[in-house]
Amino acid sequence: MNLDFSDEQKALKDQVRRFLEDRGGVAQMRAVLTSDASYDKDLYKGLAELGVLGAAIPEEFGGVGLSHLDLCVVAEELGRVIAPVPVASSIYLVAEALLQAGSQAQKQAWLPRLAAGEAIGAFALNEGEGRMGPEKVRASVSGGKLTGTKSPVADGDCADVAVVAAKSDSGKVSLYVVDLNGPGVERRTLNSIDPSRGQAALTFTNAPAELLGGEGDGWHIATQVMDRAAILIAYEQLGGADRALEMARDYALERMAFGRQIGSFQAIKHMLADMYVSATLARSNCYYGAWALASGASELPVAAATARVSASQAFQHCSKNNIQVHGGMGFTFEYDCHLFYRRANALALALGSVSTWEDLLVDRMTAGNAAAAA
Amino acid sequence: MDFEDTPQEAAFRAEVRSWIDANAPKHLEDQLKRANFGDIGITSEDPIAACKSWQKKKADAGWACLHWPKEYGGGNRTPMERVIWNQEEGLFRALGGLFTIGQGMCGPTVMAWADEEAKRRLLPPLSSGEEVWCQLFSEPASGSDLAGLRTRAVKAEDGSGDWIINGQKIWTSGAQNSDWGLLITRTDADVPKHKGLTMFYLSMHTPGVEVRPIKQANGQSSFNEVYFTDVRIPDAQRLGAVGQGWEVSLTTLMNERLSIGSGMSTGFPSLLSLCMDVEIDGKPAVQDSNVRSKLAQFAVREMGLKYTGMRAITALSKGETPGPENSIGKLVAGATMQDLAMFALDLQGQSGVIWEKDGPSDGRFQAILMRSPATRIEGGSDEILRNIIGERVLGLPGDIRVDKTVAFKDIPTSGRKH
């Protein structure tokens, strides 16, 4: 048994960390947050040149052909600096959807461009408030033309291509590839709790759409893709949780009150210990997820939901208590605490809310039990 | 990243499995399966004898104290082999509970501090289970603040060099079954508290040692009070120098953390079964959204603990030394099992009040409910563990202590306020 990353993967992690810190670390996120830019173009280009965007994309499609474990360590580093780049949408979701269900032509058309950062992908599933499910898909395709509205779509404001869930001619939920630079696409940028990651409403009016995977397989493929993305996003959440904990720890060491370091008070110390516990449990669950993702184990759905719930909560817990440890300063715009708080709460909703994933986890565990009992 | 054995590990596992299959006391299997938290569940024979018999059998075949050197009754095996043994021993591991404190904490302390002759005398029967040990540390006035202990060791006035012990220990697990005890005492009250301590070992059959079981909140009596009245111990039974007892005790406490990979369980699988069996509004509880959310929360804690344990085993197999980060296991498990038990009883409804072996879920959740408060206190309370994580893992400063540089005799105590 070996529940750890390889030395090569750890070296890659260090390399990505240095690269991101050299570029300014969290300052990049703040820059995007306070500007009109929807993401950091230079940083994204740099990540492409470093080969990390294409880490898990096969070489025949312009990628580097490493494993998903490599992509996990990259994700953790992106999460540590809450990087303002559309990696999750473009790589974890759209590239994965193409890899899982795309035709040879679709893969060839988009994967090399996604790996090179020349094109950005967005995963357009959600419609309306409340928990998303196949029954809520109203967007529809008729004669190869898509009509409907998807909102919010992460990185929909800057994406070149979208994978969209819509009803087919015969009313079955299916996935479609849509060129967002083509006709019939209208984008509206949305304000959000985390403007460092753009959100948009995409309205399609007879936009040309190409079926991705089998007709009627849309929800099934989307679920598989989101399970895989959930593990990668969990790594981003893990990186963010760890960094928020470190910020709180550093501040507790530096800040004096009542004549002593505030970290010497048990009220603060125990809060930090509990943050460490959440982050550690999440890390262990993420390792389980990474193993399942890389090995294609049948436990992948359970592992994905476990990592997702655990890491979402750890990041939310660490980022909110990071503000608390910082006291009033933590609530200033100037301090970075709110950047992590914003990202934590936005990521907790990406791919569906935590309660949605709790539900999925129980479904999957009890299905396993029923199968074992049968 | 994998869960596979190496070829050597697989071969070792196969060897272990076949030996256990051929030798384990399978007639006890059904009783062990139905055992509840805090109760080994053996009624068909004397449970102590059953534990000793399995331990002796293992020792005779070289499977006891796997990580110890052979000359002290161990198996001279790697940490990973020990983990594999534990996994394969499965249900029968419960029979080793009687020896956990002796082999896990007292033994390593003796190994680190005793002379060669004492090690060869004491360790093999500890490994084989022929002699049981207990740890005489906590006192009525010093639990979390262990170094505040007051049991006195004074040099005998007859010039023999012997020590005379007077005082009281408490929360001593298994003292009533023990042959030997590891005893920390105060030998000097005129210096700050950590500096005036000295460690000994003694036979629990020494005159003047009296063991009184404590009737616990859950009705059982696994903890004891131990009284010392003019107990005489030869100086040869001292471990470490006079005044070095705190340092010696740290060996013991460090080893407590080394007992990792045992994977503390929270009772989650039983809860999941319960949720599929009991009903809410005519439907299995597992279909209720409130129940599902709570189940998911317990699941991620249970799995987080499981994989944290596996990461620790991985680190161990790479030659890393487990450190204070392993404090997380009991901290999470204790609180989780208590919450889980309360939730299970809630699902059982009014029947949840029944605690019978043939009652709801064999009474297992009631047993967890009633035993788990102790889990959150024993071997380092939740609060002490959070201090350890805060200070030794995260590097936060220690609390400001008013007693650190004061002579022990001048420290205010509950009965002696300043």
Side-chain angles (χ1 to χ4, degrees):
Chain A
M1 187 195 69
N2 173 21
L3 197 59
D4 197 4
F5 290 94
S6 69
D7 289 342
E8 291 76 18
Q9 285 149 1
K10 288 175 184 170
L12 173 65
K13 191 170 193 282
D14 288 343
Q15 186 194 4
V16 175
R17 179 173 298 192
R18 278 197 307 276
F19 170 82
L20 291 167
E21 290 301 333
D22 287 348
R23 299 267 172 151
V26 177
Q28 305 162 107
M29 190 279 199
R30 178 179 289 276
V32 170
L33 184 81
T34 52
S35 74
D36 291 334
S38 55
Y39 71 104
D40 185 330
K41 286 188 177 143
D42 287 343
L43 177 62
Y44 201 60
K45 190 154 173 279
L47 287 169
E49 284 163 2
L50 203 58
V52 304
L53 297 185
I57 294 174
E59 286 171 285
E60 60 168 316
F61 301 118
V64 182
L66 297 173
S67 76
H68 279 83
L69 292 176
D70 298 279
L71 199 50
C72 286
V73 299
V74 168
E76 186 180 338
E77 292 307 315
L78 293 171
R80 268 186 73 84
V81 295
I82 41 176
V85 282
V87 178
S89 301
S90 204
I91 304 299
Y92 312 158
L93 285 161
V94 171
E96 283 295 328
L98 289 163
L99 282 169
Q100 295 291 313
S103 66
Q104 191 71 4
Q106 285 168 331
K107 290 179 190 172
Q108 268 160 359
W110 291 107
L111 287 174
R113 296 182 62 202
L114 294 174
E118 289 161 9
I120 290 170
F123 195 69
L125 186 74
N126 197 68
E127 294 182 40
E129 272 183 57
R131 189 176 291 187
M132 188 60 196
E135 72 290 347
K136 288 181 70 184
V137 173
R138 291 198 187 82
S140 61
V141 170
S142 175
K145 307 278 184 183
L146 168 68
T147 297
T149 297
K150 292 285 172 180
S151 171
V153 179
D155 304 301
D157 49 350
C158 61
D160 302 288
V161 59
V163 168
V164 184
K167 286 184 190 163
S168 64
D169 288 305
S170 54
K172 294 174 186 162
V173 174
S174 312
L175 294 183
Y176 295 88
V177 177
V178 180
D179 184 342
L180 295 180
N181 299 318
V185 179
E186 190 192 325
R187 317 180 194 219
R188 184 167 68 86
T189 301
L190 302 168
N191 286 325
S192 82
I193 56 173
D194 178 16
S196 72
R197 294 286 320 282
Q199 300 283 349
L202 298 183
T203 300
F204 303 98
T205 312
N206 292 321
E210 190 180 276
L211 188 65
L212 175 70
E215 188 187 345
D217 290 343
W219 198 259
H220 176 66
I221 299 167
T223 302
Q224 283 185 330
V225 169
M226 286 195 291
D227 279 352
R228 301 173 73 82
I231 293 163
L232 294 159
I233 289 179
Y235 268 89
E236 287 197 6
Q237 292 168 312
L238 187 59
D242 258 15
R243 188 71 198 97
L245 169 60
E246 287 169 22
M247 286 167 70
R249 191 262 322 266
D250 292 349
Y251 191 75
L253 284 170
E254 164 197 319
R255 172 77 179 181
M256 303 289 286
F258 303 98
R260 54 203 271 204
Q261 290 162 290
I262 62 168
S264 68
F265 290 108
Q266 288 189 332
I268 302 288
K269 187 180 292 174
H270 289 188
M271 198 194 296
L272 286 161
D274 287 340
M275 290 158 74
Y276 172 83
V277 168
S278 308
T280 300
L281 294 178
R283 177 169 298 276
S284 300
N285 284 326
C286 280
Y287 275 45
Y288 173 44
W291 163 78
L293 177 61
S295 65
S298 60
E299 289 154 271
L300 178 64
V302 169
T306 303
R308 167 87 185 144
V309 171
S310 196
S312 295
Q313 289 181 333
F315 195 12
Q316 286 181 305
H317 179 204
C318 289
S319 67
K320 79 178 179 187
N321 281 355
N322 183 31
I323 296 178
Q324 191 68 18
V325 169
H326 277 75
M329 293 312 293
F331 191 63
T332 60
F333 201 82
E334 181 193 346
Y335 271 58
D336 287 343
C337 304
H338 70 104
L339 306 180
F340 286 84
Y341 186 66
R342 288 170 182 278
R343 181 61 62 84
N345 286 290
L347 285 184
L349 302 172
L351 308 177
S353 62
V354 176
S355 63
T356 308
W357 284 89
E358 286 178 343
D359 222 27
L360 285 170
L361 175 57
V362 174
D363 266 344
R364 292 163 178 189
M365 282 189 309
T366 49
N369 255 28
Chain B
M1 184 96 54
D2 65 68
F3 292 101
E4 308 295 319
D5 286 332
T6 64
Q8 293 91 324
E9 287 165 358
F12 179 76
R13 190 184 294 281
E15 186 189 350
V16 165
R17 188 172 291 180
S18 79
W19 190 85
I20 290 175
D21 191 49
N23 292 281
K26 293 198 173 147
H27 61 287
L28 300 174
E29 206 164 357
D30 286 340
Q31 293 177 76
L32 289 171
K33 259 184 206 157
R34 292 190 68 201
N36 281 338
F37 190 32
D39 176 7
I40 195 167
I42 293 173
T43 52
S44 64
E45 57 191 87
D46 173 17
I48 302 289
C51 292
K52 288 193 169 189
S53 154
W54 175 228
Q55 190 65 27
K56 183 72 169 70
K57 205 167 188 181
K58 290 195 290 184
D60 289 346
W63 297 119
C65 291
L66 280 189
H67 55 306
W68 287 9
K70 283 211 164 125
E71 59 269 34
Y72 304 139
N76 204 26
R77 299 283 187 169
T78 65
M80 201 60 203
E81 287 173 330
R82 185 184 169 204
V83 167
I84 291 170
W85 168 275
N86 287 346
Q87 290 169 344
E88 293 299 322
E89 193 178 13
L91 210 53
F92 299 106
R93 263 194 93 197
L95 296 169
L98 179 63
F99 314 107
T100 304
I101 287 177
Q103 296 175 349
M105 298 173 73
C106 303
T109 310
V110 167
M111 216 176 294
W113 294 92
D115 62 34
E116 192 57 32
E117 191 190 337
K119 287 197 262 191
R120 286 179 189 267
R121 156 68 187 90
L122 297 170
L123 295 171
L126 167 51
S127 170
S128 66
E130 287 161 281
E131 292 179 352
V132 177
W133 282 61
C134 62
Q135 181 205 343
L136 299 155
F137 279 26
S138 291
E139 295 186 9
S142 63
S144 292
D145 181 16
L146 177 62
L149 62 92
R150 291 198 253 179
T151 293
R152 294 297 311 265
V154 181
K155 278 266 179 179
E157 289 174 1
D158 59 9
S160 61
D162 292 350
W163 295 84
I164 307 297
I165 316 293
N166 280 286
Q168 184 198 346
K169 297 288 174 179
I170 195 169
W171 311 126
T172 312
S173 305
Q176 74 275 40
N177 304 312
S178 290
D179 303 291
W180 293 92
L182 185 67
L183 172 69
I184 187 163
T185 64
R186 181 163 308 282
T187 42
D188 187 350
D190 294 326
V191 293
K193 63 179 184 179
H194 291 88
K195 298 190 171 149
L197 305 176
T198 302
M199 188 76 80
F200 298 94
Y201 62 88
L202 86 166
S203 162
M204 292 299 284
H205 310 302
T206 311
V209 176
E210 188 197 347
V211 176
R212 293 187 201 160
I214 295 172
K215 183 155 189 185
Q216 298 156 197
N218 65 345
Q220 296 175 336
S221 293
S222 57
F223 298 117
N224 302 272
E225 293 178 297
V226 182
Y227 290 83
F228 298 86
T229 311
D230 295 330
V231 175
R232 184 176 279 261
I233 305 182
D235 190 52
Q237 289 177 204
R238 174 167 45 79
L239 294 173
V242 174
Q244 205 181 6
W246 183 251
E247 201 182 318
V248 178
S249 78
L250 292 181
T251 317
T252 317
L253 300 174
M254 291 255 292
N255 272 286
E256 195 168 23
R257 291 195 204 101
L258 285 169
S259 52
I260 55 157
S262 49
M264 281 193 83
S265 172
T266 61
F268 178 77
S270 303
L271 178 66
L272 188 60
S273 311
L274 176 70
C275 290
M276 297 173 90
D277 290 341
V278 294
E279 295 191 339
I280 294 176
D281 294 335
K283 284 186 281 190
V286 72
Q287 292 179 19
D288 178 88
S289 61
N290 174 43
V291 170
R292 294 169 76 81
S293 175
K294 287 208 165 177
L295 259 183
Q297 290 306 314
F298 288 123
V300 300
R301 296 206 134 219
E302 165 95 358
M303 287 198 267
L305 276 179
K306 176 178 169 189
Y307 296 111
T308 299
M310 289 191 174
R311 285 172 54 213
I313 292 167
T314 300
L316 198 62
S317 73
K318 290 181 177 175
E320 292 169 31
T321 308
E325 70 279 1
N326 288 299
S327 302
I328 192 174
K330 191 182 81 78
L331 177 60
V332 174
T336 304
M337 62 175 69
Q338 188 172 40
D339 292 347
L340 185 148
M342 288 183 183
F343 180 57
L345 265 61
D346 184 275
L347 289 173
Q348 289 171 342
Q350 294 194 27
S351 298
V353 76
I354 302 169
W355 184 8
E356 289 182 0
K357 198 78 185 166
D358 297 315
S361 301
D362 300 339
R364 74 177 63 242
F365 297 112
Q366 286 72 17
I368 296 174
L369 178 83
M370 293 309 295
R371 178 60 178 74
S372 55
T375 309
R376 297 186 52 199
I377 298 165
E378 62 195 348
S381 68
D382 286 5
E383 292 68 33
I384 290 293
L385 295 178
R386 286 191 175 95
N387 280 353
I388 289 172
I389 290 171
E391 293 167 23
R392 313 231 346 245
V393 179
L394 299 176
L396 296 169
D399 212 334
I400 290 176
R401 292 180 181 171
V402 294
D403 59 359
K404 213 165 183 176
T405 55
V406 181
F408 177 73
K409 64 180 168 49
D410 298 326
I411 296 172
T413 66
S414 310
R416 187 175 67 202
K417 290 195 182 105
H418 279 209

